[in-house]
Amino acid sequence: MYSDKVMDHFSNPRNVGEIENADGVGEVGNAHCGDIMKVYLKVENDIITDVRFKTFGCGAAIATSSVATEMIKGKTIDEALKLTNKEVVESLEGLPPAKLHCSVLAEEAVKAAIEDYKKKLGA
Ligand code: FES
C-alpha cells in the first residue's frame, strides 16, 4: 500500500529534531486524526540553511515531513513557500487517498514556520 520511498522516509526520517534559537518555528495539527507536526528553520540571507522537524503522528505524516524538509533545504524563502502537498506526494511516489491529508499537514507546517520567520523579521 505504501511506496518504497514512503517506507524509506518512514524508517529513516531525514532532519528529525529541533533547532535551538530557530529563525522560524511552525506547528500545525489535524483535528481529525490528532497528529501534530512542528518545523524549525534556520535562515541565512533568505536561504533555508537548516530545517528540522518533530512529528507526533502516523507513518505517512513522518514520511511527508521528512521529504518536505529535504525539499526546502537550501531553497530561498519564496521558493519554499511554493511547496505544495502535491509535490510532496509526487516525491514520495504517491500516497493512499486516506493519507493525502498527511501531506497537507507537511505543507502547512512548512508555511507556518516561514510565516513565523517573516513575523520575527517584522516583514
Ligand atoms: Fe493524520 Fe497522518 S493520519 S497526519
Side-chain angles (χ1 to χ4, degrees):
M1 143 168 163
Y2 287 114
S3 71
D4 290 346
K5 199 91 192 265
V6 173
M7 292 313 291
D8 176 34
H9 277 272
F10 168 62
S11 315
N12 302 295
R14 328 296 199 262
N15 306 313
V16 176
E18 296 177 26
I19 297 177
E20 252 181 74
N21 302 320
D23 297 312
V25 182
E27 183 175 318
V28 293
N30 180 297
H32 273 285
C33 61
D35 290 358
I36 295 170
M37 227 178 249
K38 202 163 176 178
V39 169
Y40 302 78
L41 300 176
K42 201 82 204 158
V43 184
E44 271 166 50
N45 298 326
D46 211 39
I47 304 224
I48 297 173
T49 54
D50 200 7
V51 44
R52 304 273 151 174
F53 79 92
K54 274 195 157 173
T55 291
F56 302 93
C58 73
I62 290 166
T64 54
S65 19
S66 169
V67 84
T69 57
E70 276 202 324
M71 290 169 84
I72 63 165
K73 200 168 185 173
K75 295 255 171 82
T76 66
I77 287 293
D78 283 346
E79 282 166 349
L81 261 182
K82 291 195 194 119
L83 179 81
T84 64
N85 81 298
K86 204 168 158 256
E87 290 167 335
V88 170
V89 173
E90 275 164 14
S91 86
L92 284 172
E93 291 159 6
L95 274 179
K99 289 290 173 181
L100 286 176
H101 79 270
C102 318
S103 65
V104 174
L105 210 55
E107 178 191 327
E108 287 175 355
V110 165
K111 294 205 162 129
I114 294 175
E115 288 310 318
D116 183 54
Y117 163 71
K118 288 191 164 180
K119 224 192 299 162
K120 282 183 176 141
L121 268 190

